[in-house]
Amino acid sequence: METVVLKKHYNIKRVQRITEARNQIKKWKREGFTIGLVPTMGFLHEGHESLIKRASEENDKVGVSVFVNPTQFGKNEDLGSYPRDIKRDEILCKQAGANLIFNPEPSEMYYKDASTVVNVGGLTEGLCGAKRPVHFGGVCLGVSKLFNIVTPDRAYFGEKDAQQLAVIKKMVKDLNFDIEIVGCPIVREFDGLAKSSRNTYLSLEERKAACVLNKSLILARKALNSGERKAARIKDIISEKLGSEILAKIDYIEVVDSLTLKPVENIESSILVAIAVYIGETRLIDNFTFKA
Ligand code: AMP
């Protein structure tokens, strides 16, 4: 029989209804507790775990939302096949120090005649926004709703989704959400592949091939460290490395200003180097920042 050893025992409550989540949060707030929120789509891994642990260090109570948000998926994307395992997620949340899991059904979050959109201009135009036109509208709508339901003091997002982090920060500023947005570093597999729930889509052969994303970024960083300042050259270095892997198909390679997310030609300040690559049918993303 398989036994799960809990490192520490925390009480954790899983709720599916908005009113249940609100009541719990209100109770905690009356008791004077601060609240951290970690929004996720579930099928949790060590990347999510690092966010939950950080939230639990910095807040009295931590809520994790596990919600595969339908509005952020395009028509031909993987909403139906996205991996789900709430029991496993619950164990990870418990071990990492979360106190509440909010795991609503799509019908709880979205009703038929809802008509409000949340559109952050500018930052959503390039990178993944250019390739996934409905994505950030869905992310911002879903995250705004979570912010209004949980009303956290702090919310935690991974730098793995660098554009998402920038967009959420902008949304919070523009809409005066009274929430501190905390960015957390990318957690990687032993061979450098950024951890992702979507890595489970990869066959054994594809999994090996997927290392090429991080390897190409390491080469780019080396060139930057050696003084290369032409964005085109950095993109060529990445493209060449990705091209050496037969299973990899480039979606985009971009060198952008880390604040505006606009492409740069000459690297003079803080930049984000971001890539999206198909390994077989699976679209993976990775990035790093560099300060010139
Ligand atoms: P997801 O469940 O993929 O929507 O991710 C939920 C949150 O976890 C997002 O803020 C992601 O950026 C973050 N995250 C996902 N993978 C990683 C990772 N490998 N390292 C750090 N954060 C991550």
Side-chain angles (χ1 to χ4, degrees), residues 38-51 65-67 72 82 135 139 156-162 164-165 168 182 184-189 193-199 285:
V38 182
T40 83
M41 297 207 298
F43 214 73
L44 304 179
H45 50 66
E46 287 89 340
H48 301 109
E49 188 182 33
S50 72
L51 271 56
S65 57
V66 174
F67 179 56
Q72 70 189 64
Y82 198 85
H135 179 65
V139 168
Y156 295 79
F157 292 86
E159 288 167 1
K160 153 108 192 311
D161 299 272
Q164 171 174 274
L165 177 58
I168 297 291
V182 183
C184 304
I186 301 177
V187 177
R188 297 180 179 279
E189 300 283 357
L193 175 64
K195 286 191 180 267
S196 165
S197 309
R198 290 190 167 99
N199 291 349
I285 56 172

Side-chain angles (χ1 to χ4, degrees), residues 170-186:
K170 185 74 167 53
M171 180 185 80
V172 161
K173 183 174 177 225
D174 289 356
L175 295 182
N176 305 97
F177 280 106
D178 189 12
I179 299 171
E180 182 191 340
I181 302 301
V182 183
C184 304
I186 301 177

